[in-house]
Amino acid sequence: MAPRLCALCKEARAILKRPKTGQQICKECFFFVFETEVHNTITQAALFKPGDRVAIGASGGKDSTVLAYVMKTLNDRYKYGLELFLLSIDEGITGYRDDSLETVKRNQEQYDMPLKILSYGELYGWTMDAIVAQIGKKNNCTFCGVFRRQALDRGAAMLNVDHIVTGHNADDIAETVLMNIMRGDIARLGRCTLICTQGEDTIKRSKPFKYAYEKEIVMYAYFRKLDYFSTECIYSPDAYRGHARAFLKDLEASRPSAIIDIIHSGEAFEIKEEVKVTQKAQQTCKRCGYMSSNELCKACTLLEGLERGVANAGITDRARKTFNTEGQTPKDLRTIPFFQLPGSGATSVSIVAPT
């Protein structure tokens, strides 16, 4: 039996089947269509303008490594005119993040991009290892997610960038839609499929891989022979997201289009006006200046709980009551530095330039 030819070029031998479309294509055509689809996502959403300083959230994993490579490739190919940086957050997870950051440092040299690394220890005075030692593994992802989001904004402000891009892919977004439905989280359900988000007090953030399947990102990294770190976080097996991921994989096995279908369904959700008016208005945290729907942002609440030995105060009602009965916040409590957007007097920092 003669080898099957690529469905696109009709010349080279097909060596892979696209999970997203089922097409059997050659390696070079796969590179082209993957990169073109990301380019179309970027241009249709008008994510950038010439001269933008863009920080790529870099963890060393497959998604962020492919994102950095593709962003550099498209920036050169289509003359976006962007100034690209790598921004990594060190959560302080021994045997995981320290190893993955070595990959990021190699990527810095491979892609010729400046790199900034900001650690939880530097920003919050706590590492994830220390947090897990105090609270266990049940709610550790809540702490890490809240701290990481704010750390990315703060690192981007230090770099004085206009825009943060992250490697969230179609699978991630579909999982988030499912999670918000299962939790009945109307506020997040209304915005979780947005390709770009920006508040008055936050830096613009977008997801160029919004429609890219995780399996295709893995295939792209494999065939491009990219240098990435493939170990999962040692604290993530008990994460709630895992249930949504398992469910999504079952759906994808029987219907590959389920991932995109869920995203489109999420995009079509509309929140009733009477529900919108019950949601808290965004304000700024009185302690650290970061965006919040309460007087204290989630990060400050969680940090205060850690400092006062009531770590779950920002998570459970019972712990919150214990927290409140202990009286006023101690004056010598460790707090997060006040947040300032780029151009508002934020202090610049040194970054590691490629050698």
Side-chain angles (χ1 to χ4, degrees), residues 278-332:
T278 64
Q279 297 177 7
K280 294 180 180 180
Q282 287 292 330
Q283 53 184 302
T284 55
C285 175
K286 68 179 184 179
R287 185 175 295 169
C288 76
Y290 194 71
M291 67 171 182
S292 175
S293 55
N294 298 296
E295 283 192 351
L296 286 184
C297 70
K298 193 74 169 178
C300 281
T301 302
L302 293 173
L303 180 58
E304 182 173 347
L306 287 168
E307 291 289 318
R308 294 171 62 176
V310 193
N312 286 329
I315 300 173
T316 67
D317 292 337
R318 183 176 180 180
R320 185 68 195 177
K321 290 176 182 177
T322 303
F323 187 71
N324 291 334
T325 58
E326 292 191 354
Q328 294 184 342
T329 301
K331 292 183 179 179
D332 60 349

Side-chain angles (χ1 to χ4, degrees), residues 177-212:
V177 172
L178 294 174
M179 287 171 62
N180 289 331
I181 290 174
M182 290 189 286
R183 291 189 299 208
D185 194 333
I186 301 300
R188 287 190 176 89
L189 185 58
R191 62 176 184 266
C192 68
T193 58
L194 296 176
I195 191 171
C196 188
T197 56
Q198 181 179 26
E200 294 180 0
D201 303 299
T202 57
I203 296 170
K204 185 177 181 182
R205 187 181 299 215
S206 64
K207 312 178 190 77
F209 283 174
K210 177 181 177 180
Y211 299 113

Side-chain angles (χ1 to χ4, degrees), residues 5 16 139 164 201 203 259 272 287:
L5 294 179
L16 62 91
N139 292 312
I164 304 168
D201 303 299
I203 296 170
I259 294 172
K272 292 182 178 180
R287 185 175 295 169

Side-chain angles (χ1 to χ4, degrees), residues 52-66:
D52 276 354
R53 292 166 58 90
V54 179
I56 301 168
S59 66
K62 64 183 185 314
D63 298 314
S64 64
T65 300
V66 172

